[in-house]
């Protein structure tokens, strides 16, 4: 195999390029018409009422924490097997991150471990939960919602790995990741290796109108421009005394008038990124279908192999951002694959073992399932343009490493 095979790769088509170039030639580069187009299209795709496009997935998490009014000292539970941003968003607001172990069969946050934390403390100790649809496997949010209501908690679904993924609820209905039926907010990422690529970019979905309006405000510096409120409204109606009339005059508010009502951020997506995202969204289902075909091939190739401790397998509703094997001598396999131009990856070093979180008191041994998973996990190449010949090459090299 002459060309290297990465674990993930974007797929940019001529239609994508045309969409971006068309936008670059238009009157808008930042907040233009392609933003609401992308938001509306994505909301329809995941079956949510509202969607807010932002600069990246990390910004999406931060804005969610702010919109839910996370305060210094608030305790929020999440999984240690995730990208650090899932936890960091709480720290940005001064909150306290509490990790709970994973289910070794699903690699997802173990609801029973979460319940143990909640039962061991007075109600009100914890404020929220951030479950992660890790690798593309959807969390059963119906179960988490029941637990959250029992303890008055909010839920942020980190669905960065799972647009188009779903789980089956108790009524045997499909519940799409990000739909918003069970989570207060859900977030997505459009990093190049994700299902939908816009270079950088993220999306927040919700069914809560108040949260939606709050997110729009926080996304743009906390600044509000509401023409229905300010246009043709006399300045003195705002309650200013006469000494302040010189600031706004006694005339109607002009159309340029706006207010910074709270401290927000510049977390906006650009119009040309939204154009790329909208173009990619058109073929998102096709890419998802191809990922599931690749996953089925991997499962069949490694079925009943002694060197496999576990694998992602074929799971209904799985979005397959990643396909993961658990193996012995993971480091040996990783290096062998790299020698053969196969650039597998590891997802993830447990968050609680990162130096930053070790300083908060977490240590090795706290979460045996997560730590055991990390010792054996390796993410195989998984992207829609991966050719059958390339996948067979990957499979063959893995087998040759273990079987000779």
């Amino acid at each position: 195999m002459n060309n290297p095979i990465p674990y993930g790769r974007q797929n940019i088509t001529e239609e994508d390029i045309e969409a971006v170039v068309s936008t670059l030639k238009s009157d808008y580069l930042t907040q233009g018409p392609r933003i609401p187009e992308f938001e509306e299209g994505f909301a329809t795709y995941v079956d949510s009422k509202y969607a807010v496009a932002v600069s990246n997935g990390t910004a999406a998490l931060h804005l969610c924490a702010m919109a839910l009014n996370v305060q210094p000292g608030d305790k929020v539970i999440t999984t240690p097997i995730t990208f650090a941003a899932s936890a960091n968003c709480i720290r940005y607001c001064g909150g306290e991150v509490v990790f709970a172990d994973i289910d070794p069969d699903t690699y997802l946050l173990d609801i029973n471990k979460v319940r143990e934390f909640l039962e061991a403390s007075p109600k009100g100790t914890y404020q929220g939960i951030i479950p992660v649809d890790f690798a593309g496997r959807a969390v059963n949010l119906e179960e988490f919602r029941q637990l959250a209501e029992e303890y008055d908690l909010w839920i942020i679904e980190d669905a960065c790995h799972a647009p188009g993924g779903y789980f089956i609820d108790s009524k045997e209905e499909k519940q799409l990741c990000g739909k918003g039926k069970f989570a207060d907010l859900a977030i997505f990422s459009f990093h190049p290796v994700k299902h939908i690529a816009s270079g950088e970019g993220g999306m927040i979905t919700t069914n809560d109108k108040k949260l939606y309006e709050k997110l729009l405000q926080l996304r743009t510096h906390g600044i509000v421009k509401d023409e229905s409120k300010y246009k043709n409204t006399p300045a003195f109606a705002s309650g200013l005394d006469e000494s302040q009339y010189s600031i706004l005059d006694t005339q109607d508010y002009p159309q340029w008038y706006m207010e910074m009502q709270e401290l927000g951020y510049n977390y906006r997506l650009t119009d040309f990124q939204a154009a790329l995202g909208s173009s990619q969204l058109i073929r998102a289902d096709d890419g998802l279908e191809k990922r599931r075909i690749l996953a089925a091939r991997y499962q069949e190739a490694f079925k009943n192999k002694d060197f496999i401790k576990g694998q992602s397998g074929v799971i209904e509703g799985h979005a397959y951002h990643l396909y993961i094997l658990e193996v012995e001598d993971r480091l040996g396999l990783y290096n062998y694959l790299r020698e053969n131009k196969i650039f597998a990856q590891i997802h993830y070093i447990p968050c609680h073992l990162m130096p930053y979180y070790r300083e908060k008191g977490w240590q090795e041994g706290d979460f045996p399932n997560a730590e055991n998973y990390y010792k054996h996990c390796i993410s195989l190449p998984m992207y829609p343009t991966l050719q059958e010949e390339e996948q067979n090459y990957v499979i063959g090299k893995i087998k040759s490493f273990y079987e000779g």
Side-chain angles (χ1 to χ4, degrees):
M1 190 66 58
N2 294 324
N3 296 322
I5 303 175
Y7 88 91
R9 172 180 281 158
Q10 71 270 22
N11 178 26
I12 303 299
T13 66
E14 287 300 320
E15 289 80 9
D16 293 337
I17 294 169
E18 182 179 341
V20 173
V21 170
S22 175
T23 304
L24 290 172
K25 291 179 177 179
S26 74
D27 293 333
Y28 298 93
L29 289 181
T30 54
Q31 294 283 280
R34 302 310 297 267
I35 301 293
E37 175 188 305
F38 187 28
E39 292 171 333
E40 291 166 12
F42 195 85
T44 298
Y45 182 66
V46 302
D47 196 22
S48 70
K49 289 184 179 179
Y50 308 106
V52 179
V54 296
S55 54
N56 52 61
T58 301
L61 283 161
H62 187 195
L63 289 178
C64 286
M66 292 178 67
L68 291 167
N69 198 34
V70 174
Q71 296 294 307
D74 284 357
K75 291 185 176 182
V76 177
I77 302 171
T78 192
T79 169
I81 299 299
T82 184
F83 186 63
S86 306
N88 293 349
C89 64
I90 301 304
R91 296 294 303 136
Y92 297 154
C93 296
E96 181 179 340
V97 178
V98 178
F99 297 106
D101 211 348
I102 64 169
D103 181 330
D105 295 326
T106 65
Y107 311 148
L108 304 178
L109 181 64
D110 188 335
I111 192 169
N112 295 316
K113 300 296 185 182
V114 174
R115 182 178 288 279
E116 287 176 11
F117 275 116
L118 296 174
E119 290 178 344
S121 304
K123 284 191 176 182
T125 299
Y126 297 92
Q127 281 68 48
I129 311 172
I130 305 178
V132 177
D133 299 317
F134 176 64
R137 184 166 183 165
V139 172
N140 187 324
L141 287 175
E142 182 179 27
E143 295 177 352
F144 272 96
R145 182 76 265 165
Q146 292 169 356
L147 184 62
E149 288 181 355
E150 184 178 347
Y151 287 89
D152 193 24
L153 308 174
W154 49 254
I155 296 176
I156 299 172
E157 178 189 9
D158 184 335
C160 283
H161 290 184
Y166 63 87
F167 72 93
I168 304 298
D169 69 11
S170 60
K171 297 180 181 178
E172 298 187 354
E173 296 177 349
K174 292 182 181 180
Q175 296 297 334
L176 286 164
C177 297
K179 181 176 180 178
K181 182 175 181 179
F182 300 110
D184 298 271
L185 295 158
I187 68 101
F188 297 84
S189 167
F190 306 128
H191 184 276
V193 297
K194 299 298 199 306
H195 297 65
I196 298 165
S198 64
E200 286 284 358
M203 192 75 76
I204 306 167
T205 59
T206 185
N207 289 340
D208 188 314
K209 186 177 181 181
K210 288 184 178 180
L211 286 175
Y212 169 67
E213 292 172 345
K214 184 78 167 178
L215 291 165
L216 292 177
Q217 183 174 331
L218 291 170
R219 175 180 68 177
T220 311
H221 303 281
I223 290 175
V224 172
K225 183 176 182 180
D226 186 349
E227 289 191 1
S228 66
K229 179 178 180 181
Y230 299 119
K231 191 176 182 181
N232 301 319
T233 303
F236 57 79
S238 66
L240 299 177
D241 59 41
E242 293 184 5
S243 66
Q244 295 174 296
Y245 284 172
S246 60
I247 299 174
L248 297 175
D249 204 353
T250 57
Q251 304 302 312
D252 292 349
Y253 283 111
Q255 288 187 338
W256 48 257
Y257 184 77
M258 60 183 67
E259 288 183 348
M260 178 180 164
Q261 296 184 346
E262 61 181 303
L263 184 63
Y265 292 82
N266 180 0
Y267 279 164
R268 297 174 297 186
L269 191 69
T270 66
D271 225 41
F272 57 89
Q273 286 175 304
L276 177 55
S278 291
S279 180
Q280 295 239 320
L281 185 60
I282 293 170
R283 61 179 190 280
D285 282 340
D286 179 64
L288 191 57
E289 181 180 354
K290 290 176 179 176
R291 287 175 183 270
R292 288 171 175 160
I293 291 171
L294 292 171
R297 288 182 190 155
Y298 278 137
Q299 183 193 40
E300 183 63 25
F302 298 120
K303 184 172 60 177
N304 299 324
K305 292 296 181 181
D306 292 339
F307 58 86
I308 299 294
K309 293 175 63 64
Q311 61 173 317
S312 291
V314 173
I315 307 296
E316 182 177 2
H318 204 305
Y320 293 106
H321 167 54
L322 306 173
Y323 194 92
I324 296 166
L325 296 184
E326 290 183 88
V327 296
E328 296 290 356
D329 192 13
R330 189 266 309 276
L331 179 59
L333 176 62
Y334 176 85
N335 288 334
Y336 178 75
L337 293 178
R338 289 181 71 86
E339 290 168 5
N340 287 277
K341 297 184 179 180
I342 300 168
F343 295 92
Q345 188 55 278
I346 308 302
H347 297 90
Y348 294 98
I349 299 172
C351 284
H352 72 287
L353 298 182
M354 294 292 187
Y356 176 84
Y357 285 104
R358 282 181 181 267
E359 291 178 359
K360 305 298 178 186
W362 301 105
Q363 58 187 341
E364 192 167 349
D366 284 340
F367 306 113
N369 292 339
E371 292 164 25
N372 184 64
Y373 160 83
Y374 167 63
K375 291 176 182 176
H376 300 99
C377 67
I378 187 166
S379 300
L380 305 186
M382 171 57 77
Y383 47 92
T385 57
L386 183 69
Q387 300 300 303
E388 186 172 359
E389 177 187 7
E390 294 173 313
Q391 188 179 24
N392 288 339
Y393 177 75
V394 172
I395 292 168
K397 287 302 177 182
I398 294 172
K399 288 182 176 179
S400 70
F401 176 77
Y402 287 105
E403 299 177 337

